Amino acid sequence: LRAKSSKKFGRFFKIIIIDSRNIFIFSLEMKIFLYQVIKLKKAIPKTIKNPEVATVFKQYPPKVRAKIKNLRRIILEVAASDDRIGALEETLKWGEPSYLTSDTKSGSTVRIDWKEKTPEFYAIYFKCTANIVEIFKKKFDKNVFTFSGKRAILFNFDDAVPEKELKYCIAFALTYHLHKKLPESEQWQFIEEI
């Protein structure tokens, strides 16, 4: 078969017309992109399977629920982007939606919640004894995140979530057991591979 004509559309793919039929030839870059999109869509269930977790989400005020669901989406996207993390178990710990690497044991638990006693903030929590948040404080400027002690990153309802930086933090936590013995600079390089 010989191509009668060829047109390039964008940087992602080419359309080659062979014998009056359109055949799409995707570049490797496009194949990777499509694979990631399909993988993410499969990995992020719209419904929460654990009834206890679903109940907690339903109890949040609507504005809070939307923000917490966004954090959930980001956590699940990070997990789906790296096979080393594997599927996450969505459960409750201390009454908070929690995400565990039960299958792979690759990392530390990540929790999300909103507290009535601090209604202006919602948060993502990390294991305080692992000093994960202390490592984040060294990596990210105070203009990027608001930290709460050794265990949380707080988000104000009026501020946009710095998603790129947050994904680094979540990836760091969910792969913590794979890189915790490395020097700190190499731990971040490990995350760059994700």
Side-chain angles (χ1 to χ4, degrees):
L1 297 173
R2 297 182 70 189
K4 290 184 179 178
S5 65
S6 175
K7 294 181 180 179
K8 186 172 184 178
F9 292 89
R11 65 180 221 198
F12 287 116
F13 61 90
K14 294 179 182 179
I15 296 177
I16 299 177
I17 301 171
I18 300 176
D19 295 334
S20 301
R21 295 178 299 187
N22 287 335
I23 298 176
F24 290 85
I25 309 296
F26 292 95
S27 70
L28 178 60
E29 185 177 66
M30 185 62 176
K31 285 180 184 177
I32 292 169
F33 173 76
L34 288 174
Y35 172 75
Q36 289 172 339
V37 168
I38 291 166
K39 185 177 174 186
L40 286 177
K41 285 192 174 216
K42 288 180 180 177
I44 304 171
K46 296 203 180 210
T47 59
I48 299 168
K49 292 180 182 176
N50 183 316
E52 293 171 336
V53 176
T55 299
V56 170
F57 271 86
K58 285 177 189 171
Q59 291 173 349
Y60 290 130
K63 180 181 175 182
V64 173
R65 187 179 316 121
K67 296 294 188 174
I68 296 293
K69 278 187 172 183
N70 185 49
L71 291 182
R72 176 184 184 267
R73 175 193 58 82
I74 294 169
I75 292 166
L76 296 175
E77 281 182 8
V78 169
S81 71
D82 188 345
D83 293 333
R84 296 176 294 185
I85 296 170
L88 294 180
E89 177 186 351
E90 188 169 30
T91 189
L92 292 181
K93 286 199 173 250
W94 300 282
E96 301 166 345
S98 303
Y99 302 86
L100 291 72
T101 58
S102 299
D103 290 343
T104 63
K105 308 278 192 245
S106 65
S108 180
T109 301
V110 175
R111 296 175 289 122
I112 52 179
D113 201 20
W114 169 80
K115 311 275 188 208
E116 286 186 29
K117 63 183 177 185
T118 54
E120 68 277 10
F121 295 107
Y122 59 105
I124 185 165
Y125 300 92
F126 304 91
K127 186 175 179 182
C128 60
T129 57
N131 289 323
I132 292 173
V133 171
E134 294 300 318
I135 294 170
F136 297 163
K137 288 178 182 178
K138 293 177 191 172
K139 176 75 172 173
F140 297 105
D141 188 296
K142 287 185 180 183
N143 294 327
V144 176
F145 292 120
T146 300
F147 297 101
S148 176
K150 294 182 177 184
R151 69 183 187 120
I153 298 174
L154 303 178
F155 302 98
N156 188 308
F157 282 95
D158 298 329
D159 297 336
V161 172
E163 198 165 315
K164 180 181 176 184
E165 293 86 352
L166 182 59
K167 284 184 175 184
Y168 276 111
C169 295
I170 293 167
F172 191 96
L174 294 178
T175 59
Y176 181 70
H177 296 301
L178 302 177
H179 59 74
K180 67 183 177 182
K181 294 186 180 180
L182 296 173
E184 204 170 296
S185 62
E186 289 180 35
Q187 289 181 3
W188 286 110
Q189 288 173 357
F190 184 88
I191 301 306
E192 294 286 338
E193 295 173 7
I194 294 176

